[in-house]
Amino acid sequence: MPPRPSSGTRSEQRLTAIWYVVGFAFAGVSFVFLTIGAAWLISHRNRGDLHKGLPYESGIDTYGDTHARFGLSFYIYALLFVAFDIEVVFIYLWAIAFRELLLGGFVSMLIFVAILLLGLAYAWRKGVLNWR
Amino acid sequence: MTVVGRAWNRLSLPGKLFFTLAPLLLVTTIAVIAILVIFGQLIVDFLAANLPIVRFVVAVTAVLLMSVPTAFLIIYMEMKVIALMNLRLGPDRVGPYGSLLSVVHGLKVLMKEDFTPTGVDSIVFTLAPVVVYLASVMSLLVIPFAPGLFGQDLNVGLLYFFAVGGLSVVGLLMAGWSSFNKYSLLGGLRSAAQIISYEIPLTLSVVGVLILAGTMSLNQIVLDQRGSFLDWFAFKQPLGLLIFFIAATAEANRTPFDLTEADSEIVAGFATEYSGMRFGFFFFAEYVNVFIMSALIVSLFFGGWTAPFDWPWPVHIELNPGGLGIGLLILLAVAPVVGTLVLAAPFWVARSSMPAWQALIIGFVLLNLLIGLGLFALAFLGWEWVVGLFWFLGKTYGFVFTFVWMRGTLPRVRIDQLMGFAWKWLLPASLLNLFVTAGAVVVLGR
């Protein structure tokens, strides 16, 4: 069967790249676990008394519920992040193809970003961006 | 007790080490040579048949092992440079100018007790440093170190970089939540808020580079900046570079944005309850991150491994050692002795108090330095990747130095200023940079 260089090699390359990422993650995880395991083997351990296991909170015994409720501002920042990060993914693809789009692409991206900036302006006006 | 036993007991620790390691090394060397002689052809054939797998194994091992000395070097740099900036001496006991102190620190962390406090969720507690370390090391896969010297040339390189780098937020949150400590929880949430806020300007500020280069592959972006230093994207994207640098500082948790481990406010942030090697990996990841961020700035804006200028006088050295014949053997036998003597002579003549053996040692060290320098010069002329690696590491460590310098100079900012700065200044500025670049491309048509 004659080779098809255009599509065949490209899909092969993509496959190699994916295997690189997967294999690298695997190797990294095993590296960390091997090192922690080696440290566990050669270091001394003892259980200590009750106070050794207590969380370190400036010297006093822990007080109240640790996993307590937290400020709402963290949640709103996370929401803003999700909105803008998805925008970034779109913008990246647009930037790659920008040489072919030129003026049309410029105007459409201007409209797209303007809608998002409207949301940012609303959040700003509401005072969400001020850390409390 | 036998004679051998008594002699063994009388040895000092280095002596015992030597007499254990030397026979082991000898046996290993003989075994390796024997195996190479007997199975050499088979091994070569096997490796040649599985070249992609061999490349994968070598690349992964090299990148993983590279992260350790890199972290050691940056830790030493930080200790020494900040000490000199504060008019202190800094590390000066272990090794020449204290340069081995960070290695000793690493070994110390390895041998420390790795304690798990009572309240923690131990599985998440153990996995958190793994995730943080993996997130920083996996980004090294796409960084082009030199022509032909990179982990993998992904066509979505930059996107992969940010995606994997963003994983570290998950690790920090895991560490903060599982520690069962209010300071840890607060530190974890704070660092998550900081990192995700600065992720937006960080990713948006490189869009200008993407428009100019037309690709996300880091290798292609570096190749686009070939030529003189005027072709670097730093000069076409000054605003993008500024935003990227500030956001990268915040991403790597460096001063002035190191709110996640503000020790005056929340002890050590997410790492409060950690000890031993699990803490060590957070520490490693932080310094590897400094290297990675510098490498990315260099690759995107400062031409990566390309030289800043073309060498105007091309040098060609024709070396043919075989042409000397038997003279080569004589040269190899005579040159070290003569070289050592010649280099030692000035010290021996000039300083009458110096004993001859000291002068000889100095001469020998100088000779080795000269030979090393000569070999490096030959490699620099002969191989393209040596040149590339030289420039890449030079520029990258220049930026690592800048990060250390900022830590020695700047105070920490307040957290409300930090968050406001990201959303109110950097985000609009990066969008402005994007549209100015796109508009310029439309108007100029290239």
Side-chain angles (χ1 to χ4, degrees):
Chain A
M1 195 177 132
R4 286 176 300 168
S6 58
S7 67
T9 47
R10 194 182 291 167
S11 73
E12 211 163 76
Q13 267 174 9
R14 203 177 299 146
L15 203 65
T16 324
I18 290 171
W19 278 116
Y20 259 80
V21 175
V22 171
F24 200 80
F26 184 74
V29 169
S30 26
F31 173 70
V32 179
F33 274 118
L34 277 180
T35 318
I36 291 180
W40 190 77
L41 283 179
I42 61 176
S43 65
H44 74 97
R45 291 183 297 282
N46 74 43
R47 211 153 249 298
D49 59 357
L50 173 72
H51 286 90
K52 186 172 179 182
L54 279 182
Y56 175 74
E57 290 176 0
S58 302
I60 56 168
D61 286 0
T62 184
Y63 174 80
D65 186 12
T66 302
H67 296 150
R69 293 181 165 219
F70 251 87
L72 194 64
S73 44
F74 290 105
Y75 173 69
I76 290 172
Y77 276 111
L79 272 184
L80 276 176
F81 167 72
V82 170
F84 275 92
D85 220 30
I86 291 173
E87 178 205 357
V88 166
V89 174
F90 286 131
I91 289 183
Y92 268 34
L93 298 180
W94 167 83
I96 299 298
F98 187 71
R99 299 283 166 138
E100 287 105 62
L101 304 174
L102 289 179
L103 195 60
F106 184 77
V107 172
S108 49
M109 186 46 72
L110 213 56
I111 296 169
F112 177 60
V113 170
I115 295 171
L116 268 158
L117 278 184
L118 217 63
L120 185 72
Y122 178 71
W124 197 332
R125 182 76 185 75
K126 277 288 198 182
V128 175
L129 300 184
N130 293 326
W131 184 266
R132 285 182 303 243
Chain B
M1 198 178 267
T2 57
V3 185
V4 180
R6 246 176 286 140
W8 176 256
N9 281 340
R10 232 177 287 133
L11 281 174
S12 63
L13 188 64
K16 279 178 185 168
L17 266 180
F18 176 77
F19 279 105
T20 330
L21 288 182
L24 272 178
L25 271 178
L26 200 68
V27 170
T28 329
T29 318
I30 292 173
V32 166
I33 290 174
I35 288 174
L36 279 183
V37 166
I38 299 169
F39 299 109
Q41 196 55 47
L42 269 175
I43 293 173
V44 168
D45 287 347
F46 179 76
L47 292 185
N50 296 299
L51 212 55
I53 298 177
V54 172
R55 191 192 176 279
F56 169 75
V57 171
V58 171
V60 167
T61 320
V63 170
L64 272 182
L65 292 186
M66 195 209 82
S67 71
V68 179
T70 304
F72 282 153
L73 187 58
I74 298 177
I75 292 170
Y76 170 68
M77 251 178 92
E78 183 148 282
M79 288 189 290
K80 194 71 178 177
V81 170
I82 291 182
L84 292 176
M85 282 174 181
N86 294 352
L87 303 181
R88 290 183 282 121
L89 273 180
D92 68 338
R93 296 288 142 166
V94 195
Y97 299 98
S99 56
L100 294 179
L101 186 63
S102 48
V103 180
V104 176
H105 272 175
L107 286 177
K108 183 195 75 177
V109 167
L110 195 68
M111 309 230 260
K112 283 263 179 180
E113 179 180 7
D114 197 350
F115 186 66
T116 311
T118 35
V120 307
D121 183 338
S122 58
I123 295 173
V124 182
F125 191 72
T126 310
L127 280 178
V130 180
V131 173
V132 172
Y133 187 73
L134 204 64
S136 64
V137 164
M138 274 183 81
S139 333
L140 279 173
L141 188 63
V142 288
I143 288 180
F145 291 97
L149 207 64
F150 48 82
Q152 178 68 33
D153 185 17
L154 297 184
N155 56 355
V156 289
L158 204 57
L159 196 61
Y160 166 86
F161 186 95
F162 289 129
V164 173
L167 276 181
S168 69
V169 179
V170 180
L172 297 183
L173 270 179
M174 281 162 73
W177 182 81
S178 67
S179 285
F180 199 70
N181 181 327
K182 294 190 193 68
Y183 289 127
S184 296
L185 187 58
L186 198 54
L189 283 172
R190 245 192 203 193
S191 58
Q194 172 185 334
I195 290 180
I196 62 175
S197 295
Y198 277 86
E199 188 100 23
I200 306 291
L202 186 80
T203 43
L204 273 179
S205 61
V206 297
V207 173
V209 172
L210 292 184
I211 291 175
L212 291 177
T215 172
M216 280 194 275
S217 153
L218 282 173
N219 269 2
Q220 286 302 319
I221 291 176
V222 170
L223 281 177
D224 257 34
Q225 306 174 62
R226 242 181 342 193
S228 75
F229 66 93
L230 289 173
D231 292 322
W232 291 353
F233 285 146
F235 298 102
K236 295 173 186 165
Q237 292 282 318
L239 184 61
L241 169 65
L242 188 69
I243 297 166
F244 189 84
F245 186 72
I246 295 172
T249 317
E251 281 287 296
N253 290 331
R254 301 289 300 177
T255 322
F257 304 121
D258 60 343
L259 269 295
T260 60
E261 35 205 313
D263 37 3
S264 53
E265 298 164 23
I266 45 173
V267 194
F270 58 87
T272 307
E273 292 293 337
Y274 278 88
S275 56
M277 205 54 220
R278 279 181 284 188
F279 171 75
F281 272 109
F282 281 124
F283 204 63
F284 260 146
E286 186 184 331
Y287 286 98
V288 174
N289 258 337
V290 174
F291 178 81
I292 289 171
M293 280 302 169
S294 313
L296 197 61
I297 292 172
V298 165
S299 297
L300 288 177
F301 294 101
F302 288 90
W305 43 258
T306 59
F309 45 81
D310 281 332
W311 191 249
W313 310 284
V315 187
H316 286 292
I317 298 179
E318 291 290 330
L319 273 186
N320 188 11
L324 287 171
I326 194 75
L328 181 70
L329 274 180
I330 297 171
L331 187 73
L332 277 180
V334 170
V337 180
V338 175
T340 309
L341 286 176
V342 166
L343 287 171
F347 291 93
W348 190 65
V349 171
R351 297 189 55 185
S352 54
S353 63
M354 184 179 276
W357 62 271
Q358 271 185 12
L360 281 179
I361 286 177
I362 292 177
F364 185 68
V365 170
L366 279 180
L367 178 74
N368 278 317
L369 281 180
L370 274 183
I371 290 174
L373 215 65
L375 285 181
F376 176 72
L378 270 184
F380 198 85
L381 291 174
W383 286 313
E384 207 183 344
W385 66 267
V386 178
V387 187
L389 198 62
F390 174 78
W391 283 114
F392 177 80
L393 288 182
K395 292 175 195 172
T396 304
Y397 277 100
F399 273 95
V400 170
F401 177 79
T402 315
F403 280 122
V404 174
W405 187 10
M406 289 192 336
R407 178 149 183 186
T409 320
L410 297 175
R412 191 178 289 140
V413 301
R414 240 167 47 205
I415 185 142
D416 57 328
Q417 295 168 337
L418 173 91
M419 304 299 284
F421 188 59
W423 289 103
K424 294 176 185 170
W425 291 97
L426 289 186
L427 176 59
S430 54
L431 285 174
L432 179 75
N433 178 49
L434 191 168
F435 283 113
V436 167
T437 312
V441 170
V442 170
V443 171
L444 298 175
R446 61 188 173 83

